[in-house]
Amino acid sequence: MKYKDIRELSDEELAQKLEDGRAELFNLRFQMATSQLDNTARVSVVKRDIARIQTEMRARQIAADNAAAQN
């Protein structure tokens, strides 16, 4: 998922994508442990997507805190 696409999502959608990503990462790790995972690069992609989502969520939180502090 591109960062541009992540920025366009609402807070609820971001939270849902984060939950989905963490669930997928759990499943991928489980598959890797049992030697059933064919595409090991998918783990890195999912981890990057989770990091991008968390970065955007934190940026929004900081922006909201700054806006509240200025008032």
Side-chain angles (χ1 to χ4, degrees), residues 12-13 15 17-19 23-24 28 32-33 35 39 61 63 68 70:
E12 295 82 21
E13 290 172 327
K17 290 278 188 186
L18 182 60
E19 185 179 326
E24 182 179 358
L28 289 172
M32 192 180 326
S35 300
N39 185 6
Q61 183 183 19
Q70 291 179 358

Side-chain angles (χ1 to χ4, degrees), residues 13-31:
E13 290 172 327
L14 280 176
Q16 182 61 43
K17 290 278 188 186
L18 182 60
E19 185 179 326
D20 294 344
R22 286 182 173 161
E24 182 179 358
L25 183 59
F26 174 79
N27 290 331
L28 289 172
R29 285 180 174 157
F30 192 85
Q31 288 176 7

Side-chain angles (χ1 to χ4, degrees), residues 50-62:
I50 291 171
R52 286 183 183 121
I53 291 168
Q54 288 177 327
T55 301
E56 178 60 24
M57 291 174 85
R58 180 65 178 145
R60 290 181 186 187
Q61 183 183 19
I62 290 171

Side-chain angles (χ1 to χ4, degrees), residues 31-56:
Q31 288 176 7
M32 192 180 326
T34 59
S35 300
Q36 295 176 347
L37 186 60
D38 295 329
N39 185 6
T40 57
R42 181 74 183 143
V43 175
S44 297
V45 171
V46 172
K47 286 170 78 172
R48 268 190 239 119
D49 286 345
I50 291 171
R52 286 183 183 121
I53 291 168
Q54 288 177 327
T55 301
E56 178 60 24

Side-chain angles (χ1 to χ4, degrees), residues 2-17:
K2 299 285 187 185
Y3 189 70
K4 180 180 77 170
D5 299 331
I6 292 172
R7 285 191 323 210
E8 296 171 357
L9 297 175
S10 69
D11 291 341
E12 295 82 21
E13 290 172 327
L14 280 176
Q16 182 61 43
K17 290 278 188 186

